Amino acid sequence: MKKLIALILVLTLVAALFCGCNGQEEPTPAQTEEQNSPTTEQPEVLTEGLTFADPIPAPEEITTFGPDGKTATWYTELELTPDELAQVRSMNLTACFELINASEWDNANLIGFTEACEAMNIKIVGQGCCDLDPITQKANMESFAALNPDIVSCQPQDLDVCAPTFDPLWQAGVKLTFMSNVPTGYTAGKEYVGAITDSIVDMGIDSAEMMADAIGGEGDILAITVADVNYVCNTRDQAFLDTIAEKYPNINVVEVGGFSTASEAGQVASALITKYPDVKGIFVSYSSPCIDVLQTVKALGRSDIKIVTMDLDSTCALDMAQGGNIVGIACDMPYAMGFGRALMAAYGCIGKECPAYVTSPSFKVTRENLLEGYKTSLGIEAPAEVIEALNNN
């Protein structure tokens, strides 16, 4: 019996030592209650706000004007302070984003928007693409509304009649930010927060100057432009035509052909080249229809026709690198425009006054600065095939 009692005492001492070595203690009732009770989340403290990386200083004169006729605000004025950024992040906002077409240029907008949203803890819950079609856009906006987002960003189409497409969104409290275009009758700070665009007049001027350089300052050319009401494209196209008329009296725009969708541009070009076989150059409103025009020109065996367009993509860049028809691209910064739209949406969500119309830089891209321009515009390096073509041609 004594041996049994001794064995029990030894086992008890060993168990006590084992518990002590592991540092485990039985929680007191007060500790258990404290561990199970909900904790109060402390507000996020940030030391840095949010604005654009590698900003380009504003020019001496800003040539972009909003739909209301007022001078646009330079893009670097968009900024969230550390406290404002922390406030936005704490709101757990959601957003929907619509592309205008399936292009690398528009995808750069999405990348910029997405990265800004990630920095602000905004979750993108819906995406769509309208392909410049107002009917498709209306369907997309209805789909977005069903997701009950805090933010929607897109480029409005058919401005004179599109307000009913967006009315249900802003009336439900959704913060709208736009790229370049604003529905007719809409007022910043009421129906929408703000809009951001490129330096649209400068892009038209740059295109005209590159065309003049390419054809030696004289000769007949064609212009293939957007036929519908589209503020940014209409303004850029008109700036090209005005600059040619004002600065280059020996260049004659023999005809302006219009298109509604990018896939129509090649047919328009084919008909006009047949009508005016002596043209030396073609201006195309932007890169997606330019690809269609480029295919048509090559199919006709017209390696002599110089093409100038706006907005960079890899197909146009590759043709330029290969010494093809495309000799000039007026570029903007779509990544920055997407980033800016997210920033403006945050302004609306925290009740901060936002500039009504914001503009970002534009610049000329030719074969000589193609790689640098690609990175500046789209925020990524040029594809390997473009780099290889530059080295081999």
Side-chain angles (χ1 to χ4, degrees):
M1 183 69 175
K2 291 181 180 179
K3 289 182 179 180
L4 177 61
I5 294 172
L7 179 61
I8 292 172
L9 289 173
V10 169
L11 292 174
T12 302
L13 288 171
V14 170
L17 288 171
F18 182 81
C19 291
C21 290
N22 282 278
Q24 303 293 327
E25 296 182 3
E26 289 293 325
T28 65
Q31 288 174 322
T32 303
E33 180 179 351
E34 181 180 342
Q35 289 169 359
N36 292 334
S37 63
T39 58
T40 303
E41 188 172 322
Q42 297 299 313
E44 188 173 18
V45 178
L46 301 175
T47 58
E48 294 184 359
L50 186 65
T51 189
F52 297 87
D54 303 321
I56 295 176
E60 293 183 6
E61 179 186 5
I62 294 176
T63 60
T64 302
F65 297 86
D68 58 1
K70 296 181 180 178
T71 303
T73 300
W74 195 245
Y75 78 121
T76 52
E77 293 192 28
L78 294 175
E79 180 181 18
L80 293 178
T81 67
D83 288 345
E84 290 167 344
L85 178 56
Q87 181 183 355
V88 173
R89 289 181 57 82
S90 71
M91 296 171 76
N92 298 312
L93 300 168
T94 59
C96 293
F97 186 94
E98 183 190 63
L99 296 118
I100 57 173
N101 53 34
S103 67
E104 293 167 87
W105 182 90
D106 210 24
N107 190 58
N109 267 275
L110 176 57
I111 293 171
F113 185 85
T114 300
E115 292 190 2
C117 284
E118 289 174 351
M120 295 185 289
N121 189 35
I122 299 172
K123 183 179 180 181
I124 299 177
V125 295
Q127 290 183 31
C129 179
C130 71
D131 199 24
L132 296 172
D133 179 24
I135 296 175
T136 302
Q137 182 166 77
K138 187 176 189 301
N140 287 340
M141 294 305 119
E142 290 170 350
S143 297
F144 288 170
L147 298 172
N148 195 31
D150 300 295
I151 296 161
V152 168
S153 190
C154 65
Q155 183 190 70
Q157 306 299 317
D158 206 353
L159 304 185
D160 290 340
V161 297
C162 71
T165 295
F166 300 102
D167 286 346
L169 290 167
W170 72 262
Q171 290 169 356
V174 176
K175 303 303 180 184
L176 298 172
T177 61
F178 297 135
M179 181 177 69
S180 304
N181 297 337
V182 175
T184 301
Y186 268 32
T187 302
K190 183 183 176 183
E191 292 88 358
Y192 72 105
V193 179
I196 187 169
T197 191
D198 38 24
S199 295
I200 49 183
V201 173
D202 290 338
M203 291 184 77
I205 295 171
D206 289 346
S207 297
E209 291 176 348
M210 287 188 288
M211 177 63 78
D213 290 342
I215 66 172
E218 61 181 10
D220 293 343
I221 65 171
L222 298 169
I224 299 178
T225 64
V226 174
D228 301 320
V229 178
N230 182 308
Y231 176 73
V232 60
C233 290
N234 299 157
T235 302
R236 299 193 315 186
D237 294 344
Q238 193 60 49
F240 170 84
L241 296 171
D242 290 344
T243 303
I244 292 293
E246 294 167 5
K247 292 182 61 175
Y248 304 103
N250 295 324
I251 297 178
N252 181 32
V253 181
V254 292
E255 190 166 335
V256 177
F259 64 90
S260 293
T261 63
S263 60
E264 299 173 357
Q267 296 176 355
V268 173
S270 179
L272 292 179
I273 293 170
T274 300
K275 186 177 179 180
Y276 304 100
D278 294 330
V279 293
K280 298 172 65 176
I282 302 176
F283 164 75
V284 188
S285 186
Y286 60 96
S287 59
S288 293
C290 183
I291 295 170
D292 207 45
V293 171
L294 177 64
Q295 293 171 344
T296 296
V297 169
K298 289 185 179 299
L300 293 172
R302 295 299 302 271
S303 59
D304 59 307
I305 294 178
K306 309 300 183 184
I307 299 176
V308 172
T309 190
M310 302 188 192
D311 306 332
L312 193 60
D313 78 351
S314 59
T315 301
C316 293
L318 180 59
D319 183 76
M320 177 180 283
Q322 293 170 336
N325 294 87
I326 298 178
V327 294
I329 305 172
C331 289
D332 50 17
M333 297 171 63
Y335 175 92
M337 286 189 278
F339 197 98
R341 281 192 271 165
L343 269 178
M344 288 190 292
Y347 273 53
C349 291
I350 63 175
K352 181 177 181 178
E353 185 177 357
C354 182
Y357 205 69
V358 176
T359 187
S360 58
S362 65
F363 54 96
K364 299 176 183 177
V365 169
T366 62
R367 197 171 186 277
E368 285 67 33
N369 69 333
L370 177 56
L371 297 184
E372 178 186 354
Y374 203 100
K375 176 70 173 178
T376 300
S377 178
L378 300 182
I380 58 176
E381 300 293 340
E385 60 182 350
V386 172
I387 298 172
E388 182 180 355
L390 278 172
N391 294 331
N392 295 336
N393 290 278

